[in-house]
C-alpha cells in the first residue's frame, strides 16, 4: 500500500510501504477514507533531522473497517469509524477515569505503527480506540466529524480546562485550527464573550464566524494590555493557550484575571520555562495538556452530527494521497489552514 | 506603642512606633493579644537589604477591638477578632467571588501600615477584614484559631487546589507549618492516604499526628521515584507544594499522577521557571496561589472551635513582644517550627 513518509525537515514523500494487516487479535485494519495534516505535524516538518528510514505520518482519520482480529467485538467489517489521535484500550484505570490519552496500553500513531496519512492503518486496541460512526463515508458531515479526531477535542479540552462557561470572558491565544476550534468550543459552552488573538485575517474572520467578537492582532505585553483593556482592566476569566511556545504561555497567564484559568493545549515546543511568580498572586490555574479525544468524541458527536458544532470550515484545502507533500508545504507556508486528505 | 521592625537580613528589633489610630472612617484599631511569625517572614529575614527606616512585621493576629471608625458596622469595641494575612473590603467583585486576597481595595500588612507583631494595629476596611470570634482572648482554643489567619487557610487552599477528596492519594511537599496544615486539611477533606515529604523528625512526627501515613525524606528525583513507588508507579492524585522554590515545584509536578493536580501555595522565591513539557503529556493541573484566607476562615472556624481541625501544635514556642527577635532567630535556625507571640 502507499503512505506518506517524512525523511527530514521539509521532506515528505508518498512511498510504497508494507500493507496494513492484523498482527494481534485486538487489532483492526481500517481503510482510510479521510485524513488530515495537523499543526503539530508541522513542528516536526520544520525541524526533523534527516532519517533515511523515514517516519510514518498522520494521527487524524476516518475510514472503513476492513478486517478485525479475533478478540475485537465493538466494530466489524464495513463499519465507518473515527480514530482519535492516540490509541487506547478503553479498559485501564486511566481510560476508566476519562483519560484515554494516558492509557497504560496505548500510544501515538506512527513510529512502528501505520499513520493516518496512508491508504490503510493497522489499529491496535481496536475496541478501545475506534468510535463507530452512524454515517456513510460520503456523508457531507464527515469533515466536521473528522475534526473530532484531534483539533475539535483539543479546542474543547482547552475550553474545559480554562473553565469556560456562561458569564465568562474568554481569550483564545492562537488562530490556528486548534485556536479556532477553541473559539467554537467556548461558544458552545456558553462563553459570554470571546476574544481571539491572531493576525491572519482569513483565520480571524473564521474565528468571528465561530463566535469571537473581538480580534487582537498584537502579541506579547501589547496583547496582554489590549485584553485587559477589553475586560475592565482585570483580564479574561478563561484563556485558551493554543500555540505551544513559552512566549504564548506567558502571554496567556498574564492576561488571565485573578482567579481565572488558562487551558493549555499547544504542544510545548521550546522548553521555555514559566516562573510561578507570574501567576501566584493572581491565583491563576493552569490546566490542560494532551486532550482525551477518545473520551470527548462520543460526548461531542451528537452536536457535530446535528450541525451545532461544525468545525469543517477549518479544512480549506483537499488533496489526494499524492498531494500530501504539497499539503505540508501549503500549511507550513500558511497558504492553507488545515488540509483534508482523501487517500 | 511598641512593635517589631526589620532593618535588614537577620536584624529585627522591637521599637517605639507611632500609636495605631483611626485614620479613615472604615478603620478599626485592634489591640493584639496573639500574633505569629510566618515562614514567609523568614524569606525576607534571610535576604532583606539594609533599610534604616525599617519595615513593620506580622500578618497573623488576633486581638480585641479598641476603637472603630464612623462607618464600621460589623465589629465594635471589645469584640475579639481574627485578622487574615491580607485586608480586604468584602464588597468588590473579587471579594464577592470568594477571592478577597485580590480585593481591589485591599492589601498586605506592613509597609506604611502596622503589622501584627506589635501592640496594636490600625485595620483598614475593618468590616471586610475582621472576623469576629465567639470567644475570649484567654480561651485555650485561640492558638488553633490563630492558625486560620494564614497557615491553616493556606494549607487548606493547597488541598482544595490539588482537588483532595475521598479516594485520593496526597503528597505534601514540605514539612513547615504550611505543609503540616496541608496534611491536616487534606485529612479533613477525606484523603485516602497522605505522604509527607520532609526530613525533620519532629515535624514529620507532627505530620503523622495530623494524618500522614508515609514519610519521604528524599528530595529531587529520588523523592519523585519514592512517591511513585508508593503509589503503584503512577504518582499521587494530589500534590501540595508548600515550599516555594522552583525545585520543589518541579518535584511536585513530577510526582503527580496523570490527570492529577498540584496545589501550589509556597511563595515563589527564586524565579526558577517550570517547563510545560514537564506536565503537558500527563494533564497535570497547577492551581493555587495566595490563599483567600478571609473567605476560608468562616468556613473552617466551626471545625476549629469543635477541635476537629486543630493545628495549634505547630506553635512550639511562645514569646512576648521583646522575644520576637529571638523568635525569628529560632525559626531561621529551625529550632522552632512556628512562634506564637503574646505582645
Amino acid at each position: 500500500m502507499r503512505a506518506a513518509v517524512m525523511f527530514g525537515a521539509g521532506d515528505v514523500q508518498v512511498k510504497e510501504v508494507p500493507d496494513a494487516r492484523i498482527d494481534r487479535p485486538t487489532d483492526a485494519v481500517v481503510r482510510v477514507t479521510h485524513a488530515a495534516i495537523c499543526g503539530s505535524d508541522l513542528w516536526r516538518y520544520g525541524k526533523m533531522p534527516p532519517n533515511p528510514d523515514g517516519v510514518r505520518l498522520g494521527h487524524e482519520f476516518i475510514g472503513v473497517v476492513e478486517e478485525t482480529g479475533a478478540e475485537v467485538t465493538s466494530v466489524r467489517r464495513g463499519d465507518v469509524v473515527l480514530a482519535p489521535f492516540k490509541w487506547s484500550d478503553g479498559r485501564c484505570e486511566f481510560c476508566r477515569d476519562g483519560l484515554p490519552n494516558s492509557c497504560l496500553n496505548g500510544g501515538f500513531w506512527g513510529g512502528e505503527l501505520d499513520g493516518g496519512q496512508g491508504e490503510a492503518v493497522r489499529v491496535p486496541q481496536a475496541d478501545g480506540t475506534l468510535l463507530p460512526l452512524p454515517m456513510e463515508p460520503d456523508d457531507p458531515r464527515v469533515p466536521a466529524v473528522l475534526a473530532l479526531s484531534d483539533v475539535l477535542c483539543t479546542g474543547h479540552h482547552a475550553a474545559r480546562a480554562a473553565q469556560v462557561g456562561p458569564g465568562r470572558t474568554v481569550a483564545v491565544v492562537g488562530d490556528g485550527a486548534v485556536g479556532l476550534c477553541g473559539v467554537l468550543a467556548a461558544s458552545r459552552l456558553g462563553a459570554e464573550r470571546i476574544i481571539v488573538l491572531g493576525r491572519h485575517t482569513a483565520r480571524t474572520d473564521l474565528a468571528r464566524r465561530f463566535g469571537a467578537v473581538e480580534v487582537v492582532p498584537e502579541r506579547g505585553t501589547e496583547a496582554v494590555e489590549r485584553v485587559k483593556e477589553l475586560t475592565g482592566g482585570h483580564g479574561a476569566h478563561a484563556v485558551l493557550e493554543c500555540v505551544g511556545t513559552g512566549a504564548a504561555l506567558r502571554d496567556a497567564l498574564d492576561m488571565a484575571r485573578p482567579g481565572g484559568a488558562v487551558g493549555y493545549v499547544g504542544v510545548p515546543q521550546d522548553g521555555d520555562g514559566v516562573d510561578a511568580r507570574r501567576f501566584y498572586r493572581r491565583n491563576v490555574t493552569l490546566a490542560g495538556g494532551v486532550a482525551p479525544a477518545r473520551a470527548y468524541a462520543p460526548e461531542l458527536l451528537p452536536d457535530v452530527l446535528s450541525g451545532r458544532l461544525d468545525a469543517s470550515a477549518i479544512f480549506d484545502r483537499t488533496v489526494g494521497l499524492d498531494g500530501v507533500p504539497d499539503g505540508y508545504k501549503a500549511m507550513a507556508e500558511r497558504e492553507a489552514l488545515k488540509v483534508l486528505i482523501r487517500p
Side-chain angles (χ1 to χ4, degrees), chain A:
Chain A
M1 67 177 203
R2 298 170 74 237
V5 184
M6 191 182 288
F7 293 94
D11 184 10
V12 173
Q13 301 177 35
V14 178
K15 291 286 196 183
E16 194 67 28
V17 299
D19 282 348
R21 56 183 182 75
I22 300 293
D23 184 39
R24 298 188 188 183
T26 47
D27 289 348
V29 169
V30 172
R31 175 80 30 194
V32 178
T33 61
H34 298 74
I37 302 175
C38 184
S40 67
D41 292 326
L42 293 183
W43 292 115
R44 178 184 275 172
Y45 186 74
K47 63 185 182 192
M48 178 178 155
N51 174 350
D53 295 332
V55 295
R56 299 283 288 282
L57 299 165
H59 54 259
E60 304 157 291
F61 61 97
I62 282 174
V64 179
V65 176
E66 201 165 72
E67 197 183 347
T68 55
E71 292 176 16
V72 174
T73 60
S74 64
V75 295
R76 56 181 183 177
R77 183 179 169 83
D79 282 355
V80 178
V81 291
L82 172 80
F85 67 90
K86 286 193 79 173
W87 47 278
S88 52
D89 68 8
R91 295 185 315 269
C92 78
E93 57 186 298
F94 293 104
C95 285
R96 290 196 311 267
D97 276 357
L99 208 64
N101 47 302
S102 289
C103 176
L104 295 171
N105 303 300
F108 287 101
W109 304 103
E112 293 176 18
L113 298 178
D114 300 315
Q117 296 166 14
E119 290 181 320
V121 174
R122 175 176 79 85
V123 175
Q125 301 292 350
D127 277 335
T129 303
L130 295 172
L131 179 67
L133 299 174
M135 60 205 319
E136 294 302 314
D138 58 355
D139 190 301
R141 297 170 300 179
V142 166
V145 175
L146 180 63
L148 285 174
S149 63
D150 183 344
V151 286
L152 183 52
C153 288
T154 298
H156 177 69
H157 191 48
R160 286 280 299 271
Q163 301 168 23
V164 171
R168 313 278 284 182
T169 296
V170 179
V172 178
V173 180
D175 60 3
V178 170
L180 295 172
C181 286
V183 170
L184 196 62
S187 184
R188 173 178 172 275
L189 289 169
E192 183 168 297
R193 186 166 167 230
I194 301 172
I195 302 163
V196 67
L197 284 87
R199 46 176 66 180
H200 303 89
T201 314
R203 299 177 181 198
T204 55
D205 285 351
L206 192 49
R208 287 185 192 276
R209 203 173 122 193
F210 283 174
V213 293
E214 306 272 3
V215 173
V216 171
E218 290 89 353
R219 286 184 188 166
T221 52
E222 288 177 359
V224 172
E225 287 314 306
R226 186 78 190 110
V227 169
K228 285 190 177 169
E229 268 172 45
L230 290 168
T231 54
H234 301 312
H237 294 95
V239 184
L240 283 52
E241 198 292 287
C242 304
V243 176
T245 62
L249 184 55
R250 283 193 292 277
D251 289 351
L253 289 162
D254 288 352
M255 68 181 64
R257 175 188 169 93
V262 173
Y264 70 95
V265 296
V267 186
Q269 289 307 313
D270 51 19
D272 194 359
V274 174
D275 175 357
R277 293 183 297 191
R278 206 147 197 126
F279 43 94
Y280 172 83
R281 286 211 172 200
R282 285 179 296 124
N283 270 271
V284 175
T285 294
L286 181 59
V290 180
R294 184 58 182 82
Y296 286 147
E299 174 192 338
L300 299 178
L301 182 62
D303 279 2
V304 174
L305 293 177
S306 75
R308 193 176 157 219
L309 189 61
D310 182 0
S312 61
I314 58 173
F315 294 109
D316 57 352
R317 185 169 301 194
T318 301
V319 299
L321 194 54
D322 288 327
V324 170
D326 285 345
Y328 271 85
K329 191 158 176 288
M331 280 179 65
E333 293 173 355
R334 291 182 179 272
E335 283 168 14
L337 170 56
K338 192 168 177 73
V339 171
L340 180 69
I341 303 165
R342 301 293 310 268

